[in-house]
Amino acid sequence: METVYIKDEIARCEDADELKQRIFPLITSQQEQWKGKIAEIITASGMTKSKFAELCGVSRVSLDKWCKGSIPKNRETFLRIGMLAGYDLDEMNQLLQRYGRYPSLYSKSLEDCICIFVVEHNSGELQIEKYEKILNRIKTNIVNTEAVNDDMTTLDFNEKLSQVKDENELESFITENSHIFATAYHRFYAYVKMNIMANYTDSVYELAEGQGWSSSLRQCVSAIRQNKWYPTRNKIISLGLHLSMDHEQIDEMLELAHMEPLCAKNIFESVIMFILDDASLNDMLNEELDTYDPDELCRYAKSVLSEFDLPEIESFISEIAEMD
């Protein structure tokens, strides 16, 4: 089923019941998709489940939960799984984005830079072991430098990285560009801060108090203001709802964090898309209206999400404020 078709159908839904009846049967849940994917990876690896779990840095119990549809809790685990699978860059990025809902590999992030090198220079050595060896050595030797703005595009940076031939050259490359690694995601940070300042000039603290932000969301915004938060997908979506962003703005945030836009084939995100489309249709996000309320989108999102009994939504709904 084409994503664009599902996206169009979501926009036509009148309410949550219609969304459940018309859209959900067209979508495989994230848990079911992951259950099939991890089984495929383990089988192809030729390893026992115990060995695979050990190399992933998790218990056999955790691996068994994955095989039943439980999603790994962090991006680093997905990197390990992809390296154990011997994935190339395209396959690794699909694993990160589609199954983990994390950013694709980003060369200006230190860990990702090393991962890209390892994936592109597959020497027969187990990728995960090579990655850890290089990462541990470079982290020990690299000198921290103050973050400064750089004008090198990611495309140019990728090209320079592609010319690195061996581990010694990689270490020199990383050392020479340490200032760039310190500014990873600076465009994302700037965009979020711009939206906060444009809409909530009085006080982010007062906004957080008024909307009853979770402690994790408060910490996220604090870290963004210090240019040191590592983006996670659901938190970006939550932040967009709290800042009364529309569909296009949330997609732009995701793009700046090197993630795919909201995906119509993901059950949870199909509900978010319905909420945003309906909010725009009903002028809920129109700041020029006298009746505009910056908290209304959060209240509406919570109301709609509460109508669904789905694992994807249960783990997210606590981020939406409890408001009168």
Side-chain angles (χ1 to χ4, degrees):
M1 187 70 66
E2 290 295 329
T3 302
V4 67
Y5 169 78
I6 298 176
K7 184 176 180 180
D8 289 343
E9 289 301 300
I10 291 171
R12 294 189 179 96
C13 290
E14 296 288 339
D15 53 37
D17 285 337
E18 187 176 357
L19 185 72
K20 294 176 189 177
Q21 294 169 12
R22 289 183 54 194
I23 305 302
F24 284 12
L26 306 177
I27 305 172
T28 305
S29 74
Q30 187 184 2
Q31 282 71 22
E32 285 299 314
Q33 292 177 24
W34 173 244
K35 181 179 175 180
K37 187 65 174 177
I38 189 62
E40 170 193 309
I41 291 173
I42 294 172
T43 300
S45 74
M47 299 180 192
T48 64
K49 285 188 175 181
S50 295
K51 182 63 177 177
F52 194 92
E54 178 188 340
L55 291 172
C56 282
V58 300
S59 67
R60 171 63 190 272
V61 172
S62 292
L63 182 63
D64 286 339
K65 289 181 179 178
W66 295 351
C67 293
K68 295 177 182 177
S70 177
I71 311 293
K73 301 298 184 185
N74 58 68
R75 185 174 182 272
E76 177 69 21
T77 301
F78 277 96
L79 288 179
R80 288 174 170 270
I81 292 169
M83 285 186 277
L84 283 175
Y87 278 172
D88 62 24
L89 285 181
D90 288 341
E91 291 169 324
M92 181 69 88
N93 285 331
Q94 184 188 51
L95 180 74
L96 287 169
Q97 294 183 301
R98 186 58 47 84
Y99 297 94
R101 301 172 67 240
Y102 286 107
S104 59
L105 289 170
Y106 180 40
S107 60
K108 291 184 177 181
S109 165
L110 175 60
E111 289 82 359
D112 284 10
C113 178
I114 296 171
C115 185
I116 290 169
F117 172 82
V118 168
V119 168
E120 290 191 322
H121 295 77
N122 197 338
S123 60
E125 182 180 0
L126 198 61
Q127 287 184 2
I128 185 67
E129 294 177 349
K130 186 175 181 180
Y131 167 79
E132 289 179 338
K133 180 181 68 176
I134 296 173
L135 179 62
N136 290 335
R137 187 177 74 246
I138 288 178
K139 276 191 169 180
T140 300
N141 297 333
I142 196 170
V143 177
N144 291 326
T145 58
E146 184 177 349
V148 296
N149 291 331
D150 73 277
D151 56 4
M152 187 187 304
T153 67
T154 302
L155 191 63
D156 289 339
F157 196 76
N158 288 342
E159 177 61 27
K160 286 182 176 292
L161 177 58
S162 71
Q163 296 170 12
V164 173
K165 297 182 179 64
D166 56 39
E167 293 179 27
N168 289 331
E169 286 191 15
L170 178 67
E171 188 164 353
S172 297
F173 174 80
I174 287 174
T175 301
E176 291 166 5
N177 293 285
S178 57
H179 64 287
I180 289 180
F181 294 113
T183 60
Y185 299 106
H186 69 281
R187 290 179 63 221
F188 167 78
Y189 300 142
Y191 184 79
V192 175
K193 286 187 279 189
M194 176 189 73
N195 276 275
I196 290 174
M197 292 301 295
N199 295 289
Y200 305 100
T201 53
D202 293 338
S203 167
V204 176
Y205 173 79
E206 290 178 8
L207 172 68
E209 286 295 300
Q211 290 190 349
W213 286 14
S214 68
S215 60
S216 63
L217 187 64
R218 291 171 190 254
Q219 291 165 6
C220 151
V221 171
S222 175
I224 286 173
R225 298 177 84 177
Q226 299 173 60
N227 294 348
K228 64 180 186 181
W229 182 61
Y230 195 92
T232 57
R233 190 171 180 87
N234 275 7
K235 198 70 73 181
I236 290 174
I237 295 171
S238 173
L239 185 60
L241 294 175
H242 282 86
L243 296 180
S244 296
M245 289 185 174
D246 60 24
H247 192 155
E248 184 177 336
Q249 289 174 307
I250 291 180
D251 277 351
E252 186 167 0
M253 271 205 299
L254 291 169
E255 180 182 357
L256 291 172
H258 307 281
M259 301 184 195
E260 294 177 322
L262 289 169
C263 179
K265 286 188 174 181
N266 178 282
I267 286 184
F268 161 65
E269 293 189 15
S270 73
V271 179
I272 295 296
M273 292 170 71
F274 166 78
I275 290 169
L276 295 172
D277 291 345
D278 199 48
S280 292
L281 186 66
N282 289 286
D283 282 331
M284 200 178 296
L285 307 178
N286 188 346
E287 298 176 23
E288 297 180 359
L289 295 177
D290 292 337
T291 55
Y292 173 71
D293 178 357
D295 295 339
E296 188 175 4
L297 179 61
C298 263
R299 286 196 297 267
Y300 178 59
K302 182 172 180 62
S303 172
V304 174
L305 289 167
S306 298
E307 296 184 39
F308 298 89
D309 182 19
L310 295 165
E312 293 95 330
I313 291 174
E314 287 177 6
S315 62
F316 178 85
I317 200 169
S318 62
E319 289 294 340
I320 304 299
E322 290 280 2
M323 289 186 280
D324 297 331

